[in-house]
Amino acid sequence: MAELITIARPYAEAAFRFAKEQNALKDWSDVLSNLAAIASNDDMAKFLANPSRSKEQKVDVFVSLLGSANLSKEVKNFLDALAEQGRLTALSSVSSVFEELKASEEKRLKASIASAVELNDEQKSKLSAALNSKFGADVDVEYITDSALIAGVRIKVGDWVVENTAVTQIQKLGAAIAH
């Protein structure tokens, strides 16, 4: 998985820079989302993996499925570049990285807060406000109840994680005792 993201990142960044210059972030977001959906189809994955199919045939299938209304010259060039390097299977990852870049540009973040018990509205409001303040962005929070945590919360925003659960505390105690 990490390798696919590494492959996808330069393509997503190039598409993002171009879309930003053209003031077309939403358009490119929509197109890349559609292309990712096409690429992730099981039949399409088999087609893309077939070595007897030419790069042109592979791009032509994307073009026909996407439809001419959604296909600009730049999108066609983008597909051609991916096909030339054998990277059409990375479209889902390209779309994901593009969406991360777009969210960052728009100062939007996604967070996940897992707690052992369901949080009340006041707790959710305080946590949401704290995250908005910490990151200086509009943080969209998904709340998850996970009784396996025993007590406490786990907060994830991108790579940033705060793990303050009973399970973590028990594991730290166990590690301290073992040494």
Side-chain angles (χ1 to χ4, degrees), residues 157-177:
V157 180
D159 294 337
W160 184 81
V161 178
V162 171
E163 180 90 24
N164 191 13
T165 65
V167 171
T168 304
Q169 298 304 319
I170 291 168
Q171 288 171 344
K172 286 180 182 177
L173 181 61
I177 292 170

PDB file of all heavy atoms in Angstrom, residues 157-177:
ATOM      1  N   VAL A 157      -5.816  12.648  13.691  1.00  0.00           N
ATOM      2  CA  VAL A 157      -5.965  13.662  12.653  1.00  0.00           C
ATOM      3  C   VAL A 157      -4.761  13.488  11.738  1.00  0.00           C
ATOM      4  O   VAL A 157      -3.651  13.866  12.107  1.00  0.00           O
ATOM      5  CB  VAL A 157      -6.009  15.092  13.227  1.00  0.00           C
ATOM      6  CG1 VAL A 157      -6.166  16.112  12.110  1.00  0.00           C
ATOM      7  CG2 VAL A 157      -7.109  15.241  14.260  1.00  0.00           C
ATOM      8  N   GLY A 158      -4.975  12.869  10.595  1.00  0.00           N
ATOM      9  CA  GLY A 158      -3.859  12.568   9.705  1.00  0.00           C
ATOM     10  C   GLY A 158      -2.880  11.640  10.408  1.00  0.00           C
ATOM     11  O   GLY A 158      -3.251  10.582  10.912  1.00  0.00           O
ATOM     12  N   ASP A 159      -1.614  12.066  10.488  1.00  0.00           N
ATOM     13  CA  ASP A 159      -0.585  11.281  11.158  1.00  0.00           C
ATOM     14  C   ASP A 159      -0.494  11.589  12.654  1.00  0.00           C
ATOM     15  O   ASP A 159       0.227  10.926  13.377  1.00  0.00           O
ATOM     16  CB  ASP A 159       0.794  11.554  10.537  1.00  0.00           C
ATOM     17  CG  ASP A 159       0.886  11.061   9.113  1.00  0.00           C
ATOM     18  OD1 ASP A 159       0.106  10.169   8.742  1.00  0.00           O
ATOM     19  OD2 ASP A 159       1.746  11.570   8.363  1.00  0.00           O
ATOM     20  N   TRP A 160      -1.195  12.597  13.105  1.00  0.00           N
ATOM     21  CA  TRP A 160      -1.159  13.025  14.498  1.00  0.00           C
ATOM     22  C   TRP A 160      -2.133  12.161  15.295  1.00  0.00           C
ATOM     23  O   TRP A 160      -3.304  12.054  14.948  1.00  0.00           O
ATOM     24  CB  TRP A 160      -1.548  14.500  14.578  1.00  0.00           C
ATOM     25  CG  TRP A 160      -1.476  15.109  15.934  1.00  0.00           C
ATOM     26  CD1 TRP A 160      -0.371  15.575  16.562  1.00  0.00           C
ATOM     27  CD2 TRP A 160      -2.571  15.343  16.824  1.00  0.00           C
ATOM     28  NE1 TRP A 160      -0.702  16.085  17.789  1.00  0.00           N
ATOM     29  CE2 TRP A 160      -2.062  15.951  17.972  1.00  0.00           C
ATOM     30  CE3 TRP A 160      -3.936  15.085  16.764  1.00  0.00           C
ATOM     31  CZ2 TRP A 160      -2.852  16.311  19.050  1.00  0.00           C
ATOM     32  CZ3 TRP A 160      -4.733  15.441  17.841  1.00  0.00           C
ATOM     33  CH2 TRP A 160      -4.187  16.052  18.965  1.00  0.00           C
ATOM     34  N   VAL A 161      -1.645  11.542  16.354  1.00  0.00           N
ATOM     35  CA  VAL A 161      -2.479  10.647  17.160  1.00  0.00           C
ATOM     36  C   VAL A 161      -2.254  10.938  18.638  1.00  0.00           C
ATOM     37  O   VAL A 161      -1.120  11.080  19.094  1.00  0.00           O
ATOM     38  CB  VAL A 161      -2.131   9.162  16.888  1.00  0.00           C
ATOM     39  CG1 VAL A 161      -2.956   8.243  17.764  1.00  0.00           C
ATOM     40  CG2 VAL A 161      -2.321   8.815  15.430  1.00  0.00           C
ATOM     41  N   VAL A 162      -3.359  11.023  19.378  1.00  0.00           N
ATOM     42  CA  VAL A 162      -3.305  11.082  20.835  1.00  0.00           C
ATOM     43  C   VAL A 162      -4.031   9.844  21.325  1.00  0.00           C
ATOM     44  O   VAL A 162      -5.198   9.634  21.020  1.00  0.00           O
ATOM     45  CB  VAL A 162      -4.000  12.349  21.399  1.00  0.00           C
ATOM     46  CG1 VAL A 162      -4.107  12.270  22.905  1.00  0.00           C
ATOM     47  CG2 VAL A 162      -3.241  13.593  20.978  1.00  0.00           C
ATOM     48  N   GLU A 163      -3.302   9.022  22.025  1.00  0.00           N
ATOM     49  CA  GLU A 163      -3.847   7.756  22.525  1.00  0.00           C
ATOM     50  C   GLU A 163      -3.862   7.841  24.045  1.00  0.00           C
ATOM     51  O   GLU A 163      -2.840   7.690  24.693  1.00  0.00           O
ATOM     52  CB  GLU A 163      -2.972   6.599  22.048  1.00  0.00           C
ATOM     53  CG  GLU A 163      -3.421   5.246  22.489  1.00  0.00           C
ATOM     54  CD  GLU A 163      -4.388   4.591  21.518  1.00  0.00           C
ATOM     55  OE1 GLU A 163      -4.376   4.940  20.335  1.00  0.00           O
ATOM     56  OE2 GLU A 163      -5.147   3.722  21.964  1.00  0.00           O
ATOM     57  N   ASN A 164      -5.016   8.119  24.585  1.00  0.00           N
ATOM     58  CA  ASN A 164      -5.161   8.220  26.036  1.00  0.00           C
ATOM     59  C   ASN A 164      -6.291   7.284  26.472  1.00  0.00           C
ATOM     60  O   ASN A 164      -7.342   7.729  26.911  1.00  0.00           O
ATOM     61  CB  ASN A 164      -5.437   9.663  26.455  1.00  0.00           C
ATOM     62  CG  ASN A 164      -5.334   9.837  27.957  1.00  0.00           C
ATOM     63  OD1 ASN A 164      -4.837   8.958  28.654  1.00  0.00           O
ATOM     64  ND2 ASN A 164      -5.816  10.957  28.451  1.00  0.00           N
ATOM     65  N   THR A 165      -6.033   5.994  26.297  1.00  0.00           N
ATOM     66  CA  THR A 165      -7.041   4.991  26.643  1.00  0.00           C
ATOM     67  C   THR A 165      -6.509   4.103  27.754  1.00  0.00           C
ATOM     68  O   THR A 165      -5.294   4.024  27.987  1.00  0.00           O
ATOM     69  CB  THR A 165      -7.379   4.104  25.422  1.00  0.00           C
ATOM     70  OG1 THR A 165      -6.219   3.357  25.051  1.00  0.00           O
ATOM     71  CG2 THR A 165      -7.850   4.942  24.241  1.00  0.00           C
ATOM     72  N   ALA A 166      -7.402   3.412  28.412  1.00  0.00           N
ATOM     73  CA  ALA A 166      -7.000   2.490  29.473  1.00  0.00           C
ATOM     74  C   ALA A 166      -6.115   1.386  28.909  1.00  0.00           C
ATOM     75  O   ALA A 166      -5.144   0.972  29.550  1.00  0.00           O
ATOM     76  CB  ALA A 166      -8.229   1.896  30.158  1.00  0.00           C
ATOM     77  N   VAL A 167      -6.438   0.925  27.716  1.00  0.00           N
ATOM     78  CA  VAL A 167      -5.641  -0.132  27.089  1.00  0.00           C
ATOM     79  C   VAL A 167      -4.193   0.333  26.919  1.00  0.00           C
ATOM     80  O   VAL A 167      -3.252  -0.399  27.237  1.00  0.00           O
ATOM     81  CB  VAL A 167      -6.256  -0.543  25.726  1.00  0.00           C
ATOM     82  CG1 VAL A 167      -5.329  -1.465  24.964  1.00  0.00           C
ATOM     83  CG2 VAL A 167      -7.620  -1.182  25.925  1.00  0.00           C
ATOM     84  N   THR A 168      -3.997   1.551  26.434  1.00  0.00           N
ATOM     85  CA  THR A 168      -2.649   2.097  26.257  1.00  0.00           C
ATOM     86  C   THR A 168      -1.929   2.222  27.589  1.00  0.00           C
ATOM     87  O   THR A 168      -0.747   1.892  27.702  1.00  0.00           O
ATOM     88  CB  THR A 168      -2.709   3.474  25.571  1.00  0.00           C
ATOM     89  OG1 THR A 168      -3.414   3.340  24.347  1.00  0.00           O
ATOM     90  CG2 THR A 168      -1.334   4.017  25.292  1.00  0.00           C
ATOM     91  N   GLN A 169      -2.621   2.718  28.601  1.00  0.00           N
ATOM     92  CA  GLN A 169      -2.020   2.889  29.918  1.00  0.00           C
ATOM     93  C   GLN A 169      -1.600   1.532  30.504  1.00  0.00           C
ATOM     94  O   GLN A 169      -0.520   1.404  31.098  1.00  0.00           O
ATOM     95  CB  GLN A 169      -2.987   3.601  30.862  1.00  0.00           C
ATOM     96  CG  GLN A 169      -3.369   5.006  30.425  1.00  0.00           C
ATOM     97  CD  GLN A 169      -2.171   5.920  30.223  1.00  0.00           C
ATOM     98  OE1 GLN A 169      -1.218   5.899  30.996  1.00  0.00           O
ATOM     99  NE2 GLN A 169      -2.200   6.713  29.166  1.00  0.00           N
ATOM    100  N   ILE A 170      -2.420   0.525  30.304  1.00  0.00           N
ATOM    101  CA  ILE A 170      -2.107  -0.831  30.786  1.00  0.00           C
ATOM    102  C   ILE A 170      -0.876  -1.378  30.047  1.00  0.00           C
ATOM    103  O   ILE A 170       0.019  -1.966  30.659  1.00  0.00           O
ATOM    104  CB  ILE A 170      -3.310  -1.759  30.635  1.00  0.00           C
ATOM    105  CG1 ILE A 170      -4.412  -1.336  31.626  1.00  0.00           C
ATOM    106  CG2 ILE A 170      -2.940  -3.228  30.843  1.00  0.00           C
ATOM    107  CD1 ILE A 170      -5.766  -1.998  31.375  1.00  0.00           C
ATOM    108  N   GLN A 171      -0.825  -1.138  28.734  1.00  0.00           N
ATOM    109  CA  GLN A 171       0.326  -1.603  27.951  1.00  0.00           C
ATOM    110  C   GLN A 171       1.606  -0.898  28.401  1.00  0.00           C
ATOM    111  O   GLN A 171       2.665  -1.523  28.519  1.00  0.00           O
ATOM    112  CB  GLN A 171       0.079  -1.367  26.461  1.00  0.00           C
ATOM    113  CG  GLN A 171      -0.952  -2.291  25.864  1.00  0.00           C
ATOM    114  CD  GLN A 171      -1.347  -1.912  24.455  1.00  0.00           C
ATOM    115  OE1 GLN A 171      -1.086  -0.808  23.979  1.00  0.00           O
ATOM    116  NE2 GLN A 171      -2.017  -2.845  23.776  1.00  0.00           N
ATOM    117  N   LYS A 172       1.530   0.402  28.675  1.00  0.00           N
ATOM    118  CA  LYS A 172       2.704   1.142  29.155  1.00  0.00           C
ATOM    119  C   LYS A 172       3.141   0.631  30.521  1.00  0.00           C
ATOM    120  O   LYS A 172       4.342   0.468  30.765  1.00  0.00           O
ATOM    121  CB  LYS A 172       2.389   2.641  29.241  1.00  0.00           C
ATOM    122  CG  LYS A 172       2.320   3.331  27.907  1.00  0.00           C
ATOM    123  CD  LYS A 172       2.007   4.809  28.097  1.00  0.00           C
ATOM    124  CE  LYS A 172       1.870   5.525  26.773  1.00  0.00           C
ATOM    125  NZ  LYS A 172       1.509   6.934  26.949  1.00  0.00           N
ATOM    126  N   LEU A 173       2.203   0.360  31.377  1.00  0.00           N
ATOM    127  CA  LEU A 173       2.517  -0.171  32.695  1.00  0.00           C
ATOM    128  C   LEU A 173       3.184  -1.539  32.575  1.00  0.00           C
ATOM    129  O   LEU A 173       4.197  -1.814  33.236  1.00  0.00           O
ATOM    130  CB  LEU A 173       1.244  -0.267  33.554  1.00  0.00           C
ATOM    131  CG  LEU A 173       1.424  -0.795  34.968  1.00  0.00           C
ATOM    132  CD1 LEU A 173       2.359   0.099  35.779  1.00  0.00           C
ATOM    133  CD2 LEU A 173       0.065  -0.891  35.659  1.00  0.00           C
ATOM    134  N   GLY A 174       2.631  -2.380  31.712  1.00  0.00           N
ATOM    135  CA  GLY A 174       3.213  -3.700  31.486  1.00  0.00           C
ATOM    136  C   GLY A 174       4.624  -3.622  30.963  1.00  0.00           C
ATOM    137  O   GLY A 174       5.518  -4.368  31.379  1.00  0.00           O
ATOM    138  N   ALA A 175       4.880  -2.693  30.041  1.00  0.00           N
ATOM    139  CA  ALA A 175       6.223  -2.508  29.490  1.00  0.00           C
ATOM    140  C   ALA A 175       7.178  -2.008  30.549  1.00  0.00           C
ATOM    141  O   ALA A 175       8.339  -2.430  30.613  1.00  0.00           O
ATOM    142  CB  ALA A 175       6.170  -1.528  28.322  1.00  0.00           C
ATOM    143  N   ALA A 176       6.709  -1.090  31.411  1.00  0.00           N
ATOM    144  CA  ALA A 176       7.566  -0.567  32.492  1.00  0.00           C
ATOM    145  C   ALA A 176       7.922  -1.645  33.482  1.00  0.00           C
ATOM    146  O   ALA A 176       9.063  -1.719  33.975  1.00  0.00           O
ATOM    147  CB  ALA A 176       6.860   0.604  33.191  1.00  0.00           C
ATOM    148  N   ILE A 177       6.972  -2.514  33.792  1.00  0.00           N
ATOM    149  CA  ILE A 177       7.219  -3.607  34.733  1.00  0.00           C
ATOM    150  C   ILE A 177       8.185  -4.619  34.142  1.00  0.00           C
ATOM    151  O   ILE A 177       9.057  -5.145  34.831  1.00  0.00           O
ATOM    152  CB  ILE A 177       5.892  -4.286  35.149  1.00  0.00           C
ATOM    153  CG1 ILE A 177       5.065  -3.332  35.988  1.00  0.00           C
ATOM    154  CG2 ILE A 177       6.147  -5.582  35.887  1.00  0.00           C
ATOM    155  CD1 ILE A 177       3.655  -3.800  36.247  1.00  0.00           C
TER     156      ILE A 177
END
